Coordinates of all heavy atoms in Angstrom, one line a residue:
F81 N 115.7 70.0 47.7 CA 115.7 71.4 48.3 C 115.1 71.3 49.7 O 114.0 70.6 49.9 CB 114.7 72.2 47.4 CG 115.4 72.8 46.2 CD1 115.6 72.1 45.1 CD2 115.9 74.2 46.2 CE1 116.2 72.6 43.9 CE2 116.5 74.7 45.1 CZ 116.7 73.9 44.0
S82 N 115.7 72.0 50.6 CA 115.1 72.1 52.0 C 113.7 72.8 51.9 O 113.6 73.9 51.2 CB 116.1 72.8 52.9 OG 115.5 73.0 54.2
D83 N 112.8 72.3 52.6 CA 111.4 72.7 52.4 C 110.8 73.5 53.6 O 109.6 73.6 53.7 CB 110.5 71.4 52.2 CG 109.2 71.7 51.5 OD1 109.2 72.6 50.8 OD2 108.2 70.9 51.8
N84 N 111.7 73.9 54.5 CA 111.2 74.5 55.7 C 110.7 76.0 55.3 O 111.0 76.5 54.2 CB 112.4 74.7 56.7 CG 111.7 75.1 58.0 OD1 110.6 74.8 58.4 ND2 112.5 75.8 58.8
I85 N 109.8 76.5 56.2 CA 109.2 77.8 55.9 C 110.3 78.9 55.7 O 110.1 79.7 54.8 CB 108.2 78.2 57.0 CG1 107.4 79.5 56.7 CG2 108.8 78.3 58.4 CD1 106.4 79.3 55.6
T86 N 111.4 78.9 56.4 CA 112.3 79.9 56.2 C 113.1 79.8 54.9 O 113.5 80.9 54.3 CB 113.3 80.1 57.3 OG1 113.9 78.8 57.6 CG2 112.7 80.6 58.7
D87 N 113.2 78.6 54.3 CA 113.7 78.5 53.0 C 112.7 79.1 52.0 O 113.2 79.8 51.0 CB 113.9 77.0 52.6 CG 115.0 76.4 53.4 OD1 116.2 76.6 53.0 OD2 114.7 75.6 54.3
H88 N 111.4 78.8 52.2 CA 110.4 79.4 51.3 C 110.5 80.9 51.4 O 110.3 81.6 50.3 CB 109.0 78.9 51.7 CG 108.8 77.5 51.2 ND1 108.3 77.2 50.0 CD2 109.0 76.3 51.8 CE1 108.2 75.9 49.7 NE2 108.6 75.4 50.9
L90 N 112.9 82.7 51.7 CA 114.1 83.1 51.0 C 114.0 82.8 49.5 O 115.0 82.9 48.8 CB 115.3 82.5 51.6 CG 115.7 83.0 53.0 CD1 116.7 82.1 53.6 CD2 116.2 84.5 52.9
S92 N 112.9 79.6 48.0 CA 113.4 78.3 47.6 C 112.4 77.7 46.5 O 112.9 77.0 45.5 CB 113.5 77.3 48.8 OG 112.3 77.1 49.2
T121 N 113.0 68.1 50.6 CA 113.2 67.4 51.8 C 112.9 68.2 53.1 O 112.9 69.5 52.9 CB 114.7 66.8 51.9 OG1 114.8 65.9 52.9 CG2 115.7 68.0 52.0
S122 N 112.8 67.7 54.2 CA 112.6 68.5 55.4 C 113.8 69.3 55.7 O 114.9 69.0 55.2 CB 112.2 67.6 56.6 OG 111.1 66.9 56.3
C123 N 113.7 70.3 56.6 CA 114.7 71.2 56.9 C 116.1 70.5 57.0 O 116.2 69.6 57.8 CB 114.4 71.9 58.2 SG 115.6 73.0 59.0
T124 N 117.1 71.1 56.3 CA 118.4 70.4 56.3 C 119.4 71.0 57.4 O 120.5 70.6 57.4 CB 119.1 70.5 54.9 OG1 119.3 71.9 54.6 CG2 118.3 69.8 53.9
G125 N 118.9 71.9 58.2 CA 119.7 72.4 59.3 C 120.7 73.5 58.9 O 121.7 73.7 59.5
M126 N 120.3 74.2 57.8 CA 121.2 75.3 57.3 C 120.4 76.6 57.4 O 120.6 77.5 56.5 CB 121.6 75.0 56.0 CG 122.4 73.7 55.8 SD 124.0 73.9 56.6 CE 124.4 72.1 56.7
C127 N 119.5 76.7 58.3 CA 118.5 77.8 58.3 C 119.0 79.2 58.4 O 118.4 80.2 58.0 CB 117.5 77.6 59.3 SG 117.3 75.8 59.8
D128 N 120.3 79.3 58.9 CA 120.9 80.7 58.9 C 121.6 81.0 57.7 O 122.1 82.1 57.5 CB 122.0 80.6 60.0 CG 123.0 79.5 59.8 OD1 122.6 78.5 59.3 OD2 124.1 79.8 60.3
Q129 N 121.6 80.1 56.7 CA 122.3 80.5 55.4 C 121.5 79.8 54.2 O 122.2 79.2 53.3 CB 123.8 80.1 55.4 CG 124.1 78.7 56.1 CD 125.5 78.6 56.6 OE1 126.4 78.6 55.9 NE2 125.6 78.5 57.9
G130 N 120.2 79.9 54.3 CA 119.5 79.3 53.2 C 119.4 80.3 52.0 O 119.9 81.4 52.1
P131 N 118.6 79.9 51.0 CA 118.0 78.6 50.8 C 119.1 77.6 50.6 O 120.1 77.8 50.2 CB 117.1 78.8 49.6 CG 117.2 80.2 49.2 CD 118.3 80.9 49.9
A132 N 118.6 76.3 51.1 CA 119.6 75.3 51.1 C 119.2 74.0 50.4 O 118.0 73.9 50.1 CB 119.8 74.8 52.6
M133 N 120.1 73.2 49.9 CA 119.8 72.0 49.2 C 120.9 70.9 49.5 O 121.9 71.2 50.1 CB 119.7 72.2 47.7 CG 121.1 72.7 47.1 SD 121.3 72.2 45.4 CE 120.2 73.1 44.5
N141 N 124.5 75.7 50.3 CA 123.7 76.7 50.9 C 123.7 78.0 50.1 O 124.3 78.0 49.0 CB 124.2 77.1 52.2 CG 124.2 75.9 53.1 OD1 123.4 75.0 52.9 ND2 124.9 75.9 54.2
E247 N 114.6 68.9 64.2 CA 113.5 70.0 64.4 C 113.7 71.1 63.5 O 114.8 71.7 63.5 CB 113.5 70.4 65.9 CG 112.3 71.2 66.3 CD 111.0 70.3 66.4 OE1 111.0 69.3 67.0 OE2 110.1 70.8 65.7
P248 N 112.7 71.5 62.6 CA 112.9 72.5 61.7 C 113.4 73.9 62.4 O 112.9 74.2 63.5 CB 111.5 72.8 61.1 CG 110.9 71.4 61.2 CD 111.4 70.8 62.5
G249 N 114.4 74.5 61.9 CA 114.9 75.7 62.4 C 116.0 75.5 63.4 O 116.5 76.5 64.0
T250 N 116.5 74.3 63.6 CA 117.5 74.0 64.6 C 118.8 73.7 63.9 O 118.8 72.8 63.0 CB 117.1 72.9 65.6 OG1 115.7 73.0 65.9 CG2 117.9 72.9 66.8
F251 N 119.9 74.3 64.3 CA 121.2 74.0 63.7 C 122.3 74.1 64.6 O 123.4 74.2 64.2 CB 121.4 74.8 62.4 CG 121.1 76.3 62.6 CD1 122.1 77.2 63.0 CD2 119.8 76.8 62.4 CE1 121.9 78.5 63.1 CE2 119.6 78.2 62.5 CZ 120.6 79.1 62.9
R254 N 124.9 71.3 64.7 CA 125.8 71.3 63.6 C 127.1 72.1 63.9 O 128.1 71.7 63.6 CB 125.1 72.0 62.4 CG 125.8 72.1 61.1 CD 125.2 73.2 60.2 NE 125.6 74.5 60.5 CZ 125.0 75.7 60.3 NH1 123.7 75.6 59.9 NH2 125.5 76.9 60.5
R285 N 122.7 63.0 61.9 CA 121.6 62.9 60.9 C 122.2 62.9 59.5 O 123.3 63.5 59.2 CB 120.7 64.2 61.1 CG 121.4 65.5 60.7 CD 120.4 66.6 61.1 NE 119.1 66.5 60.5 CZ 118.4 67.5 59.9 NH1 118.9 68.7 59.8 NH2 117.2 67.3 59.4
S406 N 116.9 82.2 63.0 CA 116.7 82.3 61.6 C 115.5 83.1 61.3 O 114.7 83.5 62.2 CB 116.7 80.9 61.0 OG 115.5 80.3 61.4
G407 N 115.2 83.4 60.1 CA 114.1 84.1 59.6 C 114.3 85.6 59.4 O 115.4 85.9 59.0
M469 N 112.7 81.0 65.3 CA 112.4 81.5 63.9 C 111.6 82.7 64.0 O 110.6 82.8 64.6 CB 111.6 80.4 63.1 CG 112.5 79.2 62.7 SD 111.6 78.1 61.7 CE 111.0 77.0 62.9
Ligands
LIG3 S1 117.6 74.3 56.3 FE1 116.4 75.8 55.5 S2 115.2 76.3 57.2 FE2 116.4 74.8 58.0

Side-chain angles (χ1 to χ4, degrees):
F81 279 82
S82 179
D83 198 30
N84 192 28
I85 185 70
T86 50
D87 290 285
H88 281 272
L90 293 165
S92 67
T121 187
S122 299
C123 174
T124 60
M126 302 290 163
C127 330
D128 55 329
Q129 43 204 296
M133 62 152 67
N141 301 337
E247 193 65 59
T250 319
F251 49 90
R254 178 197 92 209
R285 71 186 306 223
S406 65
M469 288 185 264

